[in-house]
Amino acid sequence: MPKLGMEPIRRAALLKATIDAIGDHGSLEVTVAQIARRAGMSPALAHHYFGSKDDMFLAAMRHVLTLYGAEVRMALAGAEGPRARLEAIVRAGFGPSNFRPEAVSAWLNFWTMARQSPGAARLLRIYEGRLRSNLLANLRPLVGARAPAAAERIAALIDGVYLRQGIRTGEPDPAQAVHLVLSALANETGETPQ
Amino acid sequence: MPKLGMEPIRRAALLKATIDAIGDHGSLEVTVAQIARRAGMSPALAHHYFGSKDDMFLAAMRHVLTLYGAEVRMALAGAEGPRARLEAIVRAGFGPSNFRPEAVSAWLNFWTMARQSPGAARLLRIYEGRLRSNLLANLRPLVGARAPAAAERIAALIDGVYLRQGIRTGEPDPAQAVHLVLSALANETGETPQ
Amino acid sequence: MPKLGMEPIRRAALLKATIDAIGDHGSLEVTVAQIARRAGMSPALAHHYFGSKDDMFLAAMRHVLTLYGAEVRMALAGAEGPRARLEAIVRAGFGPSNFRPEAVSAWLNFWTMARQSPGAARLLRIYEGRLRSNLLANLRPLVGARAPAAAERIAALIDGVYLRQGIRTGEPDPAQAVHLVLSALANETGETPQ
Amino acid sequence: MPKLGMEPIRRAALLKATIDAIGDHGSLEVTVAQIARRAGMSPALAHHYFGSKDDMFLAAMRHVLTLYGAEVRMALAGAEGPRARLEAIVRAGFGPSNFRPEAVSAWLNFWTMARQSPGAARLLRIYEGRLRSNLLANLRPLVGARAPAAAERIAALIDGVYLRQGIRTGEPDPAQAVHLVLSALANETGETPQ
DNA sequence: AATGAATGAGGATTCATTCAT
DNA sequence: GATGAATGAATCCTCATTCAT
């Protein structure tokens, strides 16, 4: 059974299992054993590959942000003009791979993790920075000097919608979430709001 | 040494200690012993008064919401007209007793607690409902049929601003937070946005 | 069953159990659980009273040295004149409570512990210092300027005899040990050696 | 990559690494992985060559004794007469290859190992026997019937000096150690002591 | 009312050892 | 010959909770 080159496979399996476990459980109080079992291996192996539970959590968070970043980049690639790009950013944030219940729940927990783990805080600030600068760059052509404040409002709104999904029961409704943010965006850009 | 009528005093001390401990620690992983020590009593007594750690956490959350509700009610009492009442609601949310770092941190953690504890989820939905209905009632005279969507946007924005404070370092800036939300409100009501 | 004032009793029982366990087992690789069971309590209680395994080991070592110190002091109390005092020191070192197999074994292990634990090293240096100064004070009247070197030789010899007992099988023979050291002492003081 | 005749090289590297690791660490609580890494190979290979950790430790101890034996034999080869031979024995014991900090530390730990491992105990008894018979053979011509007791005293003293080095900080001072033992020897043989 | 005493049930982590390649 | 992969079996330590006093 033991083969060579298992490391990347095992690591990926553990990261996915970590996110799912945190998402399912709704908190960071998940045991390494639970995660390892989910990933089909022993707790000892999880430690072998990640060193510690904290490191594994941090890697999982990084993974989530990487996925998010990729999704945003991909969405931006196909968008022309600031209006379309803003929409792309919003849609990417609520895209199917980010807006799953487990991902939202995991995300929420990573957020609280940032209060204790400097590494987690740093990751979160990176995400925040990217989101703000993406919004800002595309709002500027539309609203000029009001762009910084508008970007701040939209960013906070996105986070708020995400957060509130965390306590909703049932499946997330991406369409509604996107619509909510886009209508706020319309307010900002002076188009007919709804 | 045992005194009469200590119960309410002890309970209040424990609730305050719980919130502070969670806030300081930045997570729900606080031990009953830590909280009890903070409140100047033994862990056994904490159990005596609250039955279990979970119940104590729930009571603390209820306490936070009670304080918040009181603050909102008081702010509304002195406000005339929908515009002023909306401002009062916003200001109350970022008032000094709610927007302290520990309270924000505790709040954030209660939010994640809602994923596991039905009781916590219920409390959170009550808060949400109140916020929405308060916003809605006062937006209706200003924006008519657009009120429900606008209320939803403002509510999500408030939560987002709160959330983002959680990862900021340093003291919260209530004035800035209030300004951010009020400017979104201005967008909604068609006043000159800024 | 739970009574007040158990702490000193429990601590004493744990210290004794620690020494015996190390002695029996012949190494520091004894589990807290084994020690606690020996002392008739749960491992958790052992941690409650000593904080950590290392602290417990250190306390046990301190205990051994305290016993040794008391035995020496008592022996010195009844001895008149340098010759008698030297004999008292030697006899105390190989007295029944110090020269038991478990105590010798524990002692030997504490010795190696000193390589890693600064606390243990400090304790050992205190013991060494006391032994040397005791020997020195009483050798000076007998051998004058040669006292420092003689004290060093006798001290090393005492430790050596102890050490060698550690690998002997069977019961220690205090009489023989004492005789060995006293004959070396006779060599030093110029009496007819044997 | 696998070469022929690697076995003796690998084994020797592991033995040296074992002694150094124990010496550095100051205890037997060294992991096979640490030792193997020090020797530049995988833990699995260490097991391949020695079967088990205990066997590896035992082999390392044997190695130390072999080195010691060789050093003694070499020293004896160049010594004429009992007086010179006694000095040679003492000098060999505190020679540079035996009296290094790591070796002393390892030696001390092997000593405690003897309490648990019959194999280690046997090795130690062999060492003891050789030392005693070497001393005895050369003391007899000098002190006659007092030789057995004298040999015992000198042997214990040598072990004691070694032991005490274990808790000294800083480099061992072979000259001083030798001098200490030789002066005791002078006491025994009736030469002018110092 | 209040607490010291006590523990059972975990949980993270380590490590010697095995095995397929 | 050599190793990466893998794990079972500990081990220390923590903590909510109970209970007699």
Side-chain angles (χ1 to χ4, degrees):
Chain A
M1 212 164 300
K3 294 185 194 162
L4 271 101
M6 290 302 285
E7 175 152 358
I9 299 172
R10 293 298 200 186
R11 289 182 79 102
L14 280 169
L15 291 184
K16 181 172 165 21
T18 301
I19 294 162
D20 289 354
I22 292 175
D24 272 14
H25 200 262
S27 94
L28 297 172
E29 286 167 45
V30 199
T31 72
V32 174
Q34 286 164 353
I35 295 172
R37 197 175 322 125
R38 227 177 229 267
M41 66 194 87
S42 72
L45 195 54
H47 274 97
H48 176 68
Y49 282 124
F50 282 102
S52 79
K53 188 186 185 182
D54 281 357
D55 285 345
M56 199 161 68
F57 276 13
L58 217 50
M61 187 170 168
R62 212 174 341 250
H63 184 64
V64 168
L65 287 178
T66 305
L67 290 182
Y68 168 76
E71 195 145 0
V72 170
R73 237 182 337 273
M74 195 174 310
L76 283 177
E80 301 255 331
R83 197 66 188 75
R85 294 173 74 84
L86 286 171
E87 276 203 36
I89 293 165
V90 172
R91 283 188 200 285
F94 300 108
S97 78
N98 290 325
F99 209 47
R100 291 168 303 138
E102 306 85 39
V104 172
S105 177
W107 184 247
L108 199 50
N109 279 284
F110 288 143
W111 215 287
T112 76
M113 193 169 126
R115 298 283 310 189
Q116 303 171 263
S117 157
R122 203 169 44 80
L123 286 177
L124 226 44
R125 270 195 296 272
I126 291 174
Y127 151 77
E128 265 207 75
R130 275 207 228 135
L131 176 57
R132 180 189 297 112
S133 77
N134 273 336
L135 291 173
L136 195 51
N138 293 292
L139 277 167
R140 183 112 42 202
L142 301 179
V143 302
R146 286 190 298 106
E152 191 72 22
R153 284 189 290 266
I154 297 297
L157 182 61
I158 290 176
D159 287 350
V161 170
Y162 232 90
L163 173 66
R164 292 160 77 87
Q165 178 56 46
I167 57 163
R168 283 253 181 348
T169 57
E171 288 295 300
D173 183 343
Q176 189 192 319
V178 168
H179 179 257
L180 193 156
V181 179
L182 290 185
S183 60
L185 206 51
N187 279 347
E188 298 288 353
T189 59
E191 306 171 31
T192 318
Q194 60 187 123
Chain B
M1 213 161 300
K3 295 176 195 165
L4 293 177
M6 288 301 283
E7 174 151 359
I9 298 174
R10 295 291 200 190
R11 291 182 76 101
L14 279 169
L15 292 185
K16 179 171 168 20
T18 302
I19 294 163
D20 289 353
I22 293 174
D24 272 12
H25 200 263
S27 93
L28 296 172
E29 286 168 44
V30 197
T31 70
V32 173
Q34 285 165 353
I35 295 172
R37 196 176 322 125
R38 227 178 227 266
M41 66 195 89
S42 74
L45 196 53
H47 273 92
H48 176 67
Y49 280 125
F50 284 101
S52 81
K53 189 188 185 182
D54 281 357
D55 286 344
M56 198 162 69
F57 275 13
L58 218 52
M61 187 171 169
R62 213 174 342 248
H63 185 64
V64 169
L65 288 177
T66 304
L67 290 182
Y68 169 76
E71 195 146 357
V72 171
R73 240 185 332 276
M74 196 173 308
L76 283 177
E80 301 256 333
R83 197 66 188 73
R85 295 172 73 83
L86 285 171
E87 276 203 36
I89 293 166
V90 173
R91 285 188 199 284
F94 300 108
S97 78
N98 290 325
F99 209 46
R100 292 168 303 141
E102 308 85 39
V104 172
S105 178
W107 185 246
L108 201 50
N109 279 284
F110 289 142
W111 215 288
T112 77
M113 193 170 127
R115 297 286 307 192
Q116 305 171 261
S117 156
R122 204 166 46 79
L123 285 177
L124 227 44
R125 270 194 297 274
I126 290 174
Y127 152 77
E128 265 206 76
R130 272 204 228 138
L131 176 57
R132 181 190 298 110
S133 77
N134 274 336
L135 291 173
L136 195 52
N138 294 291
L139 277 169
R140 183 109 46 198
L142 300 179
V143 301
R146 286 191 297 105
E152 190 74 19
R153 285 189 289 265
I154 297 299
L157 181 62
I158 289 176
D159 287 351
V161 171
Y162 231 89
L163 173 65
R164 292 159 75 86
Q165 178 56 47
I167 58 164
R168 283 250 181 352
T169 59
E171 288 295 301
D173 182 344
Q176 189 191 320
V178 168
H179 179 258
L180 195 157
V181 179
L182 290 185
S183 61
L185 207 51
N187 279 347
E188 299 287 354
T189 58
E191 306 171 30
T192 319
Q194 55 192 127
Chain C
M1 212 164 301
K3 295 188 193 158
L4 271 99
M6 290 303 284
E7 175 152 359
I9 298 172
R10 292 298 199 187
R11 289 182 80 101
L14 279 169
L15 292 184
K16 179 172 167 20
T18 302
I19 294 163
D20 290 353
I22 292 175
D24 271 14
H25 200 262
S27 94
L28 296 171
E29 285 168 45
V30 198
T31 70
V32 174
Q34 286 164 354
I35 295 174
R37 197 174 322 123
R38 225 178 230 268
M41 68 195 87
S42 72
L45 196 54
H47 275 98
H48 176 67
Y49 281 123
F50 281 102
S52 79
K53 190 188 184 180
D54 280 357
D55 286 345
M56 200 161 68
F57 276 13
L58 217 52
M61 186 170 169
R62 212 175 339 249
H63 185 64
V64 169
L65 287 177
T66 304
L67 290 182
Y68 169 76
E71 196 146 357
V72 170
R73 237 184 336 274
M74 197 173 308
L76 283 177
E80 301 256 332
R83 198 68 188 70
R85 294 172 75 83
L86 286 170
E87 276 203 36
I89 293 165
V90 173
R91 285 188 198 284
F94 299 109
S97 79
N98 290 326
F99 209 46
R100 291 168 304 140
E102 307 85 39
V104 172
S105 178
W107 185 248
L108 199 50
N109 279 284
F110 288 144
W111 215 288
T112 76
M113 193 168 128
R115 298 284 307 190
Q116 305 171 262
S117 157
R122 203 168 45 78
L123 286 177
L124 226 43
R125 270 195 296 273
I126 290 174
Y127 152 77
E128 265 206 74
R130 273 205 228 136
L131 177 57
R132 181 189 296 111
S133 77
N134 274 336
L135 290 173
L136 195 51
N138 293 291
L139 277 168
R140 181 111 42 202
L142 300 179
V143 301
R146 287 191 297 107
E152 191 74 21
R153 285 189 289 265
I154 297 298
L157 182 62
I158 289 176
D159 288 351
V161 170
Y162 233 90
L163 173 67
R164 292 160 76 86
Q165 178 56 46
I167 57 163
R168 284 251 179 355
T169 58
E171 287 295 302
D173 182 344
Q176 188 192 320
V178 167
H179 179 257
L180 195 157
V181 179
L182 290 186
S183 59
L185 206 50
N187 280 347
E188 298 288 352
T189 58
E191 307 172 31
T192 319
Q194 56 189 123
Chain D
M1 214 162 300
K3 295 175 196 168
L4 293 178
M6 288 300 283
E7 174 152 356
I9 298 173
R10 296 289 201 191
R11 291 181 76 101
L14 279 169
L15 292 184
K16 180 171 166 22
T18 302
I19 294 163
D20 289 353
I22 292 174
D24 272 13
H25 201 263
S27 93
L28 297 172
E29 286 169 45
V30 197
T31 71
V32 174
Q34 285 165 354
I35 295 173
R37 197 177 321 125
R38 228 177 227 267
M41 65 195 88
S42 73
L45 196 53
H47 273 91
H48 177 67
Y49 279 126
F50 284 100
S52 80
K53 189 188 185 182
D54 281 355
D55 286 344
M56 198 162 68
F57 275 13
L58 218 50
M61 188 171 167
R62 215 177 337 253
H63 185 63
V64 168
L65 287 177
T66 304
L67 290 181
Y68 169 74
E71 195 145 358
V72 171
R73 241 186 331 277
M74 195 175 307
L76 283 178
E80 301 255 335
R83 198 68 188 73
R85 294 172 75 82
L86 286 171
E87 275 203 36
I89 293 165
V90 172
R91 285 189 199 283
F94 300 109
S97 79
N98 289 324
F99 209 47
R100 293 168 302 139
E102 307 85 37
V104 172
S105 179
W107 184 246
L108 200 51
N109 279 284
F110 288 143
W111 215 287
T112 76
M113 194 170 126
R115 297 285 307 189
Q116 304 171 264
S117 156
R122 205 169 42 80
L123 285 177
L124 226 44
R125 269 194 297 271
I126 290 174
Y127 151 77
E128 264 206 77
R130 275 206 227 136
L131 176 57
R132 181 188 298 110
S133 76
N134 274 336
L135 291 173
L136 195 51
N138 293 292
L139 276 168
R140 183 113 41 202
L142 299 179
V143 301
R146 286 191 297 106
E152 191 73 21
R153 285 189 289 265
I154 297 299
L157 182 61
I158 291 176
D159 288 351
V161 170
Y162 230 90
L163 173 65
R164 291 161 76 88
Q165 178 56 46
I167 58 164
R168 284 256 180 344
T169 58
E171 288 295 302
D173 182 343
Q176 188 191 320
V178 167
H179 178 258
L180 194 156
V181 179
L182 290 185
S183 60
L185 207 50
N187 279 347
E188 299 288 352
T189 58
E191 308 171 30
T192 318
Q194 63 189 116

